[in-house]
Structure formats: structure tokens, C-alpha cells
Amino acid sequence: KLKRKPVQVDYYYKEIDARKYIEQKNTKFDKHPLISVIVTTNETPLSLLSEMIRSIINQTYSNWELCISDVSSSQAVINYLQKNYSNDERIIWEKTGSNEEFSEINSRVFQLAKGEYFVFFKDRDLLSCDSLFEIVKAVNESKKDVDLIYSDEDQIDNESRKYVNPSFKPDF
């Protein structure tokens, strides 16, 4: 049961200009929680995996970790992660059996995570570069402790790269 009121982050999927990017990168918050981005991959095409990871790495808020649980039957995702991200301590992964129950997989990936807040992510999702910044900004602007944060979302058409299906969530 939630004891505190959830906070809605009101912003749209957008990219920001260079001035604002630098300004956000240099912002010092009173509260700077670790945010764990939780992803389960399953035969994810490496081009999409790469784009998803880049969208996390390019965040203007830097106190995050990316926790990946790979349930693919092949080793392609793990090999890619080892080759490209073994030196980045913020990116943590493990190989899990594809025959494990979803609840077991989630339990294992949560054991990897150390964050105060969790962002649940699909292996083909992307975040605009200011997404985690806006979450932490909402945490800092709230007069009470925050248990839950949610936001609107949109989808990108693979061909045109335009935003095509916004989902606006009402106030809680």
C-alpha cells in the first residue's frame, strides 16, 4: 500500500538543444537517487540493443545503472555486451534460462539492481536524453518522499522515425 502520493512527470518525448543538455548535465540536485533501468532481452537485434543502450548512456542525469537479463537462446546479446560494455560498471547483465518463469527472471534482475527507483524497460524502448533528469527533478520538487513516478509515452515509427502513438496518462 502506498503511503505517499505518486508524482506524474509532465513532459513529452523530445530531444533537447545543446545548451539545455549541458545545463542539465551540470545540475546538482539535493537528492540524487540511483535509478535502476531494468530490461529483459530476448533475441534482441543488436542494432536495437545498441540504440536502447545509447539512449541510457546519453542521459543528462548520470546516477543510473542498466540491469539486463538476457533470456535469448543464443549468446549474441551477451557477446555484444561483453565486447562493448565490459568496462562500464553502470551496465550489469546476466544470462538467464529462456525456460525460466517470468517471475523468476524478474526476481533475478531485481537482485542485480541497487537503485532507489526502478524504470521498467523493454528491449526495444528508448528514452529521450532528459528522461531520468525529469524524474529526479520531480523527486526533488516534491514536498514529500516519492514512492512512484509515471509519465506519458510515445512510439517511434521505425521507418519515418516520427512519433506516432502518444499515450497520455491522467493524474493519479
Side-chain angles (χ1 to χ4, degrees):
K1 181 176 178 182
L2 292 175
K3 296 177 184 154
R4 295 167 278 216
K5 182 179 178 187
V7 173
Q8 181 181 17
V9 178
D10 293 315
Y11 63 96
Y12 301 97
Y13 188 94
K14 63 188 179 311
E15 291 302 321
I16 58 177
D17 63 34
R19 180 192 56 75
K20 189 150 193 126
Y21 184 90
I22 292 168
E23 180 183 300
Q24 287 183 4
K25 286 290 265 188
N26 292 323
T27 298
K28 303 293 184 220
F29 290 108
D30 290 335
K31 300 175 190 171
H32 52 281
L34 176 64
I35 299 177
S36 297
V37 180
I38 309 278
V39 180
T40 299
T41 55
N42 186 3
E43 309 299 342
T44 307
L46 298 182
S47 61
L48 296 177
L49 179 68
S50 172
E51 191 174 11
M52 182 271 293
I53 293 172
R54 277 195 324 271
S55 82
I56 305 298
I57 289 173
N58 291 329
Q59 291 296 302
T60 58
Y61 180 73
S62 61
N63 194 21
W64 55 263
E65 64 180 0
L66 175 58
C67 303
I68 302 172
S69 180
D70 181 49
V71 298
S72 306
S73 59
S74 73
Q75 282 292 117
V77 168
I78 296 299
N79 291 343
Y80 176 83
L81 292 169
Q82 288 172 337
K83 179 181 176 188
N84 294 286
Y85 299 104
S86 59
N87 291 329
D88 193 333
E89 294 177 355
R90 301 171 300 174
I91 302 175
I92 306 158
W93 62 83
E94 73 171 2
K95 180 80 171 154
T96 59
S98 57
N99 59 346
E100 290 185 50
E101 293 290 328
F102 186 71
S103 60
E104 292 174 20
I105 294 166
N106 277 343
S107 176
R108 289 174 59 149
V109 76
F110 274 116
Q111 290 173 9
L112 295 175
K114 298 180 226 78
E116 290 178 60
Y117 293 95
F118 299 98
V119 174
F120 300 99
F121 221 49
K122 295 178 196 152
D123 59 355
R124 290 161 170 81
D125 283 350
L126 303 173
L127 286 179
S128 61
C129 64
D130 60 340
S131 295
L132 299 182
F133 176 90
E134 292 294 339
I135 290 170
V136 174
K137 181 179 168 189
V139 167
N140 278 272
E141 289 176 350
S142 176
K143 293 180 179 32
K144 298 180 180 179
D145 287 340
V146 177
D147 282 325
L148 175 72
I149 298 173
Y150 64 99
S151 69
D152 300 333
E153 59 186 273
D154 206 343
Q155 294 178 359
I156 301 173
D157 179 74
N158 286 338
E159 303 276 325
S160 69
R161 305 303 286 175
K162 292 182 180 179
Y163 306 110
V164 295
N165 193 18
S167 174
F168 301 109
K169 299 178 179 97
D171 287 347
F172 191 82

